Amino acid sequence: MAKGRILFVNQGIVPFVEDSEAAINNRKLAQFTQELGREIRVFMPRFNEVNERKHQLHEVIRLSGMNLIVNNCDHQLIIKVGSIPTARLQVYFIDNEEYFTRFGDTFDEKGVLYPANDERILFFGRGALEAVRKLAWQPHLIHFSGWFSGMVPFYLRRINKENAFFSGTRTVLSLTDDGFEGSFSQELEKKMRADGATAKDLRLYQNLDYMTLMKAAITYANGIVIASPNVNPELVAFAKENKRHVLDYNPDQQEFFTKINKLYDTLCGSAIKE
């Protein structure tokens, strides 16, 4: 199996967020991939539930400080880092006072999407990629998981139009059972247009709800991992109809993670060398 550089952009990873099937698997897959000898980086949002003192997060000054424009306003990008000593993993956190410190994770106490979630997913998707560029660390492949990371492929395309840093980078999307009711702000289209979205992009993001967001992510991704036995069957069918490399769910974790890493090699081909 080849080595290579794999970037994980996750909605959550234990122990920084509450246990869930996705958060546990995100941690175990990253550890498994690193133990194969690959070079990895892991990013997630610095949700308010992340206890900075408990996990000893600290700001990475050399990566922080740039401003990202969302909805024609400047928002400071702050990068923090924490570690999982038992797994020998470092995790980078995308932070901003307005988008993360003032909110919970993704829903309010009534289980309703925060109105600002449209801007939050834009900020997170772009922030993760901009931080990687500032690290000068070019991934062969980006594996993103969770709907909060759903704008990563949009920004990957946008950045490549301006800068070839991610040229040749492939993408894999993990589909989980994280569906929700409700829709994002109708203003999202305007905000994406201001951020360089084309008419072709915007057709994928009209009337954006969970299914629309994930179908857009599938459309842009090179490979799809069915990471839960409870993934919406409509999304699985959509991925297969669009002839993506689809890896079906496997309850045998060791075998499943091995197949995921073989998928990385298949997608990257000769770009990854020993």
Side-chain angles (χ1 to χ4, degrees), residues 213-246:
L213 177 63
M214 300 318 294
K215 285 183 177 181
I218 290 169
T219 300
Y220 285 135
N222 302 115
I224 308 296
V225 172
I226 311 302
S228 166
N230 302 312
V231 172
N232 188 303
E234 184 180 338
L235 292 178
V236 177
F238 182 82
K240 293 181 177 180
E241 288 167 5
N242 281 270
K243 301 188 183 339
R244 296 296 178 264
H245 291 267
V246 178

Side-chain angles (χ1 to χ4, degrees), residues 202-223:
L202 294 174
R203 281 197 295 270
L204 297 174
Y205 293 96
Q206 290 179 343
N207 303 314
L208 196 66
D209 57 11
Y210 174 78
M211 293 297 289
T212 306
L213 177 63
M214 300 318 294
K215 285 183 177 181
I218 290 169
T219 300
Y220 285 135
N222 302 115

Side-chain angles (χ1 to χ4, degrees), residues 15-16 27 31 34 55-56 82-90:
F16 303 105
R27 178 252 176 92
Q31 181 178 352
Q34 180 170 260
H55 298 296
Q56 300 182 337
S83 63
I84 309 175
T86 55
R88 294 183 296 136
L89 286 177
Q90 273 196 330

Side-chain angles (χ1 to χ4, degrees), residues 12 48 50 56 70 81 86 133 159-160 166 185 223 241 252 258:
N48 210 20
V50 178
Q56 300 182 337
V70 179
V81 67
T86 55
R133 282 211 299 173
I159 288 173
N160 272 340
F166 290 105
S185 166
E241 288 167 5
D252 184 322
T258 298

